[in-house]
Amino acid sequence: MEKKKIDWENIGFSYMQTDKRYVSDFKDGKWDDGTLVDDANITMNECAGVLQYAQTVFEGMKAYTTEDGRIVTFRPDLNAARMVESAKRLEMPVFPEDRFIDAVVRTVKANAAYVPPYGSGATLYIRPYMFGVNPVIGVKPADEYQFRVFTTPVGPYFKGGAKPITICVSDFDRAAPRGTGHIKAGLNYAMSLHAIMTAHRNGFDENMYLDSATRTKVEETGGANFIFIAKDNKVVTPHSGTILPSITRRSIMYVAEHYLGLEVEERDVYFDEVKDFAECGLCGTAAVISPVGKVVDHGKEICFPSGMEKMGPVTQKLYDTLTGIQMGQIEAPEGWIKVIE
Ligand SMILES: *Cc1c(COP(=O)(O)O)cnc(C)c1O
């Protein structure tokens, strides 16, 4: 298969249309067989549930080429399961987990020419999503839905190595107790846009959200979970019912314990103790881990000992081990790597 002529190292993180996308429609209480289509555009009624009341959920994952030339994805079963939880919370029909994985495999295969080569640092980003399509004007769930998967190649997240970022404690809240913070839904992002633009205007890379009930505990950023490294090398991550259960973060905690022999802890993390940690990182599919060098709380700076030049040593080990597993250089736990072709 001939790869597309793309400058893989310089494509950045933006949408590039690829050849095929997967579509399945839900109507009269059931999903149809699903198919690959060429048209990247969607036509729907002006009153579609997704347009009026934001009834939509999504997933994000990557396909990439391993050292031995295979195209693989990382733990797609967890994305499938998470989308089930997201759909249920928004009263949407569940797209079966085995069909989710099949749809991802078929879409990636059909766009194999866009999967970046090994060593480029680029990947093929995969976006499964689902939304209500029939007209809904009285507030209620839609009756008809579409599940789709598209792919878009994305460049290396960090060009020339991961530089630590500076984040600020946000004055806005991300998720209410007993709300929707734990599901992957566009609605959580729509309302975060003002907060992230405010952070950027103030010179920060990201927001640190605190729990909205007490504003004493660390939650997450707009799109990534936190890990902290304590001075005794323990890996600590916030436990909360209102953060999105990141697959990257769960994998990092496993790698810390089972590959690196580190102590791990998922617990309440109070903002007051952030100053005592040695390292801090943000976990998500896009960057795997982004190191955080500094947290600013209304002018008060917390500078982690790992500094602003490079990842902290433990964060680096976690990053190297997890990306080594993903790229096929380190043996993966059973079921983590799904070979596509
Ligand atoms: C997607 C997402 C993450 C990261 O999850 P991964 O499964 O690691 O990609 C973290 N926080 C939020 C709010 C997200 O939407």
Side-chain angles (χ1 to χ4, degrees), residues 223-236:
N225 286 180
F226 279 106
I227 53 162
F228 296 98
I229 314 298
K231 291 199 170 121
D232 63 359
N233 284 355
K234 191 183 286 170
V235 184
V236 180

Side-chain angles (χ1 to χ4, degrees), residues 233-237 252-258 261-266 318:
N233 284 355
K234 191 183 286 170
V235 184
V236 180
T237 193
I252 285 166
M253 297 305 277
Y254 184 92
V255 161
E257 186 174 0
H258 298 278
L262 299 170
E263 258 189 89
V264 297
E265 231 170 44
E266 187 174 347
L318 290 166

Side-chain angles (χ1 to χ4, degrees), residues 58-60 79 82 174 181 184 189 220-225 244-249 283-286:
F58 69 100
E59 273 301 325
N79 296 95
R82 192 166 65 185
R174 193 191 84 89
K184 212 163 175 73
Y189 280 79
E220 61 172 320
T221 67
N225 286 180
L244 195 282
S246 158
I247 293 163
T248 314
R249 184 256 303 162
C283 320
T285 293

